[in-house]
Amino acid sequence: QLNQWVELTFDFTGESNIFMDNIVIKVDGPAWTTGDFMFFDDIIGPPLYTSPGVVYSPADSATEVSVATNLEIATNDKFLDAGAVTITDFTGKVALRVGDVNGADVPFTASINGDNKITIVPNTSLDNSTTYWYGVIDNTIYYSSGTSVTGVSASFTTKAAVTGDIS
């Protein structure tokens, strides 16, 4: 419709992509020519999320995970150190443990990319057929709002060792 206001509604109810933070509108068709103009006014919508979302790799409760896997915890917010600064030392802030949160510590190195993805790299291959817990130690880092990060953890089980002839 030319020279008329048209209301468009976009409903993302049920969308599970926690990293969705924008919308792209593509205009095309037989009545549209290069150089035509389109104006947008008052683009509004609900908040993208009410609390930060987190995704894990490997996913929580995953099985058959490689013993050589790296672990990732990502958020659609930011993970920050006290004072809203980038985390540079993960000592006492993230953990990798055998079994559950109370299990034996597994040595690792950790890093952060873009303030929103923590990568945990075990120092050696993990044991086969073993359950591991990894996560953020409650109340040791913060989201950009200043809220303490709590309850951010996942568990997974590594695959069984290959036995017999593998050729």
Side-chain angles (χ1 to χ4, degrees), residues 49-74:
Y49 53 87
T50 56
S51 62
V54 180
V55 293
Y56 308 95
S57 179
D60 191 28
S61 302
T63 58
E64 298 296 311
V65 174
S66 168
V67 296
T69 194
N70 292 337
L71 318 171
E72 293 181 345
I73 304 170

Side-chain angles (χ1 to χ4, degrees), residues 57-133:
S57 179
D60 191 28
S61 302
T63 58
E64 298 296 311
V65 174
S66 168
V67 296
T69 194
N70 292 337
L71 318 171
E72 293 181 345
I73 304 170
T75 182
N76 56 352
D77 197 314
K78 291 185 175 187
F79 291 128
L80 298 170
D81 225 337
V85 297
T86 298
I87 302 167
T88 56
D89 181 5
F90 286 91
T91 305
K93 295 176 182 153
V94 296
L96 171 60
R97 297 182 174 150
V98 177
D100 61 26
V101 66
N102 299 310
D105 285 318
V106 177
F108 66 90
T109 57
S111 61
I112 194 161
N113 184 359
D115 286 337
N116 69 343
K117 185 188 292 183
I118 296 170
T119 302
I120 299 170
V121 180
N123 291 352
T124 60
S125 293
L126 301 173
D127 292 332
N128 293 99
S129 301
T130 303
T131 298
Y132 290 91
W133 175 96

Side-chain angles (χ1 to χ4, degrees), residues 13-35:
T13 303
E15 177 59 43
S16 63
N17 181 354
I18 68 165
F19 298 106
M20 183 173 63
D21 64 358
N22 61 54
I23 186 169
V24 176
I25 299 172
K26 181 178 179 183
V27 180
D28 198 3
W32 188 261
T33 59
T34 302

Side-chain angles (χ1 to χ4, degrees), residues 162-167:
V162 175
T163 59
D165 186 6
I166 60 171
S167 57

